[in-house]
Amino acid sequence: MIFDKFREECGVAGVYGDDEAANLVYLCLYALQHRGQEGAGIAALDGNQIHAEKGLGLVSDIFTQERLSRLNGSVAIGHNRYSTSGANLLKNTQPIVAEINKGQVALAHNGNIVNAHKIRERLVQNGAIFTSTSDSEIIIHLIAKSEKDNLEDAIIDSLSELKGAYSIIFMTENHMIGIRDPLGIRPLILGKKRTGYVLVSETCALDLIEAEFIREIEPGEMIIIGEEGIKSVKPFDKAVPKPCIFEFIYFARPDSLIFNNYVYDIRKKMGAKLAEENPVDADIVIPVPDSGIVATLGYSEKSGIPFELGLIRNHYVGRTFIEPSQSIRHFGVKIKLNPVKSVINGKRIVVVDDSIVRGTTSRKIVKMLREAGAKEVHFRVSSPPTMFPCFYGIDTPTRKELIASTHDLEEIRKYITADSLGYLSLQGMCQCVGEMNYCDACFSGDYPTMYIDEDEFNPKVN
Ligand code: SF4
């Protein structure tokens, strides 16, 4: 592992009513690449037949001109995968396409179903055969087993059983359907392009294809798009929405608008709040790029400490980087980040990152800055200590591995060898995002659903 981060989840996109549907979805997946880099797929409805192209790796590696040319039709949906449940295998890539008793259906899912395991066990006992280890496949089985004749009713029926996070785009023989779970944990946006409609995880995808932003799908809302136009229904029991606050801190792109807020603005506010709560005398403030950049701007503006780019990131190092040989191994974070010595040398430095997960990367960054001549290194984190794992579609280490779960502030400071360490407070973070309630369970342990892993929540820390 080169970077010690919570890992992104998945990105979804769908286009209805455009002859270039698959090409537009392909572009949307490009814009959403940050949400998942392990695999991607597009399914298109050609006449009344669904055809899919899927692969492992980045969108640019998977979709050749030839593969895209096989995806005809005016409706298409797509998915970028990061495996939070199920291994990184081709069989787990999405969209999942199935021919069931109610017709053909394809689905692209962002999120994580927390009661998937229990439902899957029950389905297997009743004879269901699964072709993947992804929790999203249970949705297809539930739809097939539903006693409702109509596919839309069967979808509602099946989703009513699920607990957890789901922003899903379905494609049926006649419709494209977008659904957000009642807590609205993951985003899902509705846009319009020429004659058609677009559903995407973030607005940065709408911007790329020059689609107009209409609105967010509301928590618990189901949007059915067809020849007859758009229909909105709210079929689930009402709940207090709890969108994921970490989308603002790290996952979403800063140029996106999600949960009715610009990510950039919120991230900058968090940096300013961090400066207010954790002031320090220093010569420059630098970000850990790229995710720390916007918060650092906020820190710099608030504190008056000049902003510099003291660390440069190599953007061409993928997840699959392999250390070349035993004798020159352990590049670690150096392969991705390099200090600018003329900026760092002899300075008292504040370095801002969006989070500390295990602490291993932060420790290497501090060491790297000292080796580049930093006089002092003050580490600042634009979120509260991450103490609990996420069960809603984000890949997090176990609670035992989260440094803030087992160490206090001073112990973490010592471990990362910084001169001082400061986190944004939970209260400070909530002030930056306004009135709405958010899920902040990875900081507070206050999970918005049942069925979380009890051992993880209450670990027997050795
Ligand atoms: S636990 Fe954290 S990462 Fe997971 S949904 Fe809640 S805020 Fe987001």
Side-chain angles (χ1 to χ4, degrees), residues 185-186 244-246 251 390 392 394 439-442:
I185 295 177
R186 300 279 150 238
C244 166
I245 206 161
F246 224 112
F251 304 131
C390 175
Y392 308 120
I394 303 298
C439 173
D440 56 17
C442 45

Side-chain angles (χ1 to χ4, degrees), residues 310-386:
L311 290 165
I312 300 300
R313 179 172 171 178
N314 180 342
H315 287 99
Y316 304 98
V317 184
R319 290 251 165 93
T320 50
F321 171 75
I322 295 159
E323 301 269 4
S325 80
Q326 289 286 332
S327 57
I328 51 168
R329 58 185 292 180
H330 298 315
F331 288 101
V333 79
K334 273 192 205 154
I335 196 77
K336 209 156 190 181
L337 293 177
N338 196 33
V340 184
K341 293 199 180 72
S342 62
V343 170
I344 303 296
N345 192 25
K347 306 267 182 30
R348 296 170 303 160
I349 289 165
V350 183
V351 57
V352 178
D353 204 353
D354 56 83
S355 54
I356 297 180
V357 179
R358 295 175 178 84
T360 46
T361 302
S362 316
R363 183 182 161 98
K364 284 175 191 158
I365 288 170
V366 174
K367 183 166 180 264
M368 183 186 272
L369 292 171
R370 289 205 198 280
E371 282 170 2
K375 235 169 37 187
E376 293 171 15
V377 181
H378 303 277
F379 213 96
R380 296 292 179 269
V381 186
S382 61
S383 65
T386 41

